[in-house]
Amino acid sequence: MSTAKHRMRDKKMKNQPINVTYSSQGSSHWRNGGDTPTGRGRDPSPHPRGQGSSHSGHAQGESWVRGHQREGQGGYPQALPKHITASAFAKARAAEVNAMVTAVTKTTGSSHVFGALPKHMRRRAMSHNTKRLPCRLRDMANNMLEKSQKSGQKVKKEQSKSKSRKARRRHGNVLLEFNRRQRKNLWLETHIWHAKRFHMVKRWGYCLGDGPTYKCYRACYRAMSSHCLLQDMSYYSCVELQGPEDQLLATLSKLTSKEAGPTFAAAVCVSGRKQGSVVVYRAGQYPLQPLGPVTFLWRPRAQGRGQEDQGSQGSTHRQLWIWAHPTMKTDLLPELQAVCQCSEAVLPPGPVEHPVPQPAPTPTLGPGPGACPEAVQASASGSKRKWSSREPEAAGPPAKKLLGYSTISSTTPVTWRSSTTGIVISDLTMEMVRYRLIGPLSHSVLTEALAPATHCDATGKSRPSPFWWPDHCRDDCNMSLHQQQAGVFNMLKGVYSTAEVPAGSVLGLTVDDPRLTLPNKRSKAVSDVRKAQGVNEERMRKRRELMLKGIPEPLSQSSLWDRSVRDNVTHNKMTDQEVNRLRNDVLVPGSRLPTPLQGRVPVLLVQQSGKSQGTEMGSWGTGWDLLLPKAWGMAFWVPLVYRGVRIGGLRMSLKHAQNKGEPHFPHDYPDCPAGARFQEEQEAELLAKFRRRPPAKRTNYIKHGCLAPFRCPWQQLAEEWELIVKEEGGGEEAVAPMEQEVTPPQSNFTVLRNRKSLRQLSAWCRPTSSKCQRARNLGSTPQLNRNVAASLLSAHGGGSSLVWTRLSLVAKGQPEQHALVCVPTAEDLQLVRKEPGCAGPQEPLHTDHFKSRVKRPRKKDHIKPENKQSDPASTSIPSVNPGPDPSSSSSLTTLSSSCTSALTLGLWPEPLPSVTSHCSRVTLGWVTQGDFSLSAGCGEALGLLSLTGLLHTLLRQPESQRGLVLLRNPGSLQYRFAKINIEV
């Protein structure tokens, strides 16, 4: 009998009575009480239990098998016992009954009360509901349940009873929850609308919509090309500067340079007619240390306002708005304070405008000074909610909805002044709402959704009013200006496309509450050109003048610049409940609602230029920016949506910049602090995503010859190209065998933004359209030679500069992010000359020498103590820069004598070898954004190239093939031919 069978038999017979033993012969006789050979019912064998014989009844030398055996094979005997002894039979049965009772009543290993039940009565539901237990065990189970609950009370706090859904959905509680959830990430006024339809992401301290939950990539492109796309850009930070004009221009001139384009002092921008854009640098550091691009808007000069004497010189008091990306605000605001010498902080006067949200509303007798205007109006009108009359303890004013920059403390200053320069800096972040409409019919959407404000009657002008519009109407000059602005706004209805209006034009306007003219059904706004064809000649002349000269300077004025007007409009906004009550009381359903005095809103319309580079689809992506006071976001958002616009998120902002061929901040600004931080965060995100995949499903970038698939080492690229030019002296043959001999000095790279130099590079590269080459008038551009290239390099940091380029694939292909841009060899140029549509060369497959060091060793393999590794995913081994040939013995030998770093299968360890000579083609730069461009009809990429490498390449290419490069994706071995486009 095997050992396993013995253990099984012993397990089954362990609860049998110890005074009953069984033998292998005659068992059927004595187990029923028959006489044993000794005449008694017990086995006279003196062997104790477990020694020699077992209580299971089998002899030590004999075997026992489960089940009945066949006859003649040691089975049970067939003969029945001849007689039964009553006493022995009763003792045997009594012992068996006692053993059975003991087995039933004995609890299991756990001392739980449910173990006292028989196995057939034990149910899992009894542990949740003690009433399912028998009555005799319920008290014991309840006591155990109380003990378990008391033991956890020391660690866990007693949870309060949750409110009912009806209580949670009350207006005050909803607002409190709305305010509480914004303590960490700010919400825009359209957050609830986006959260129901978009994938929300946390970016730059805000909770923003990244993309819709439905497929809309091509639909959004069609909207930008033929209709209108709407985006909420309110997360952009606004900084206001006030002071003498000469002081503002003098201080801001330290942050810019005329070599990079128009500055804050551009005549068209200073007048207030147009919006300007400029790249801001640290004070006096151009072309080094850029901060990033900003857009600015000057307040137009108004007659009879703002003329003040500043000391001995007369100067006009001006107001300037600077709009910047939220990641740039932390760098821009301290720089502006340092330049303008604004170190004196000004605390906000009066009551706190945005109180910290409390856990529950404080009951008061009436609306206090800090209560919202909605509460004041509700109490004045006598309208109360149903639950207020039933619950007197909650009859106080409703909770106040936080508006603006609510996460900062109430004591944190947002205004700084300077006693030396007279400049005042104010942080207007989240104080205004900014919507962006992109598309040729953006003006049609605006003209249908907005209506110029109606005039006040004589009665409204004479009476004193707490609203701003009646006081504004008392001045005839203001009403004359409003009529002119309304005439220009109505003139936009006859414009075919938004691109016909000059880029950057600014139009100030006061409109009625758009909720009063909300249509019953959602419709699509169309151009009104057919109706405009029958107008008189005077109107046609004014329209042509508008298209040629733009909007006059006086018409760019708006009351939105005044803080008092903005606060008045924000605090006196009608609630949706009041608007619905007006809509319910109208006699004719669908007619225009009467406009109350608080229903006039000052706005600003700013024209955004479209695609200005290249020849394909000029002025693509033009639109309008709509600036509103805060608290009016949803009041304008819903009417715009009802005009058939398509809504876009952060993803569409990036695609809009790609189709326009312009750099997008902070993705394409690696020389700025915000761009550097973004690239670090992006690298960590992509690396974490790469490591989450199984090793067998990852791309082995080492075999594909890609050193940095998740980042672009710009500094190393600029330094290596500078060494190449210095060492070889102009020969391309010396590039490939270059090794890391001398560590170059640390130098910060910059992106070339000098317009004169960019025009020269554009002419030398012979810019082309997306697919075919076009001629270009070089004009006064000098011919490219070594002396001109050397002078250009010396003028821009000696080779540490990068050039922003747009790459268009010649044949098929779709570029990806972080793709390599390489220099074609003479054989490649000869190949494309013979076969213009050829696919391009291929990179030979590289060898992964780090795979054996990352692979987990097997147990059967012999592992030496010094080669044992703890984690195969991140193995700590010595590694150095192996140079261009990692398979060499010297590289592998020095691998064990350098600093340690974590190895990941398929990725090169730090530090990286030579990024220029690692592959068979010399690396020239990388792609920051790439995709198939629907506007150009081919694959396009946006990236940065080394200025030294670009001039080095252009000097060695024939004139007919200048600007031709190779492009290869990180996970591919196939090179594609592409053309360089540098257009200013």
Side-chain angles (χ1 to χ4, degrees), residues 446-475:
L446 290 174
T447 53
E448 288 193 16
L450 307 180
T454 55
H455 298 269
C456 287
D457 52 5
T459 306
K461 294 180 181 179
S462 59
R463 295 179 180 178
S465 175
F467 310 116
W468 76 280
W469 182 245
D471 296 338
H472 187 80
C473 293
R474 294 189 183 100
D475 193 348

Side-chain angles (χ1 to χ4, degrees), residues 154-169:
K154 298 180 181 179
V155 181
K156 296 183 178 180
K157 295 182 180 180
E158 184 178 358
Q159 297 181 356
S160 60
K161 186 177 180 181
S162 60
K163 299 179 181 179
S164 63
R165 186 181 185 277
K166 183 178 180 180
R168 292 196 309 267
R169 297 308 299 168

Side-chain angles (χ1 to χ4, degrees), residues 807 819-823 922-927 945 965-968:
L807 303 170
L820 285 79
V821 182
C822 302
V823 180
V922 183
T923 304
L924 194 60
W926 289 280
V927 171
L945 308 179
V965 294
L966 292 173
L967 191 143
R968 182 168 67 90

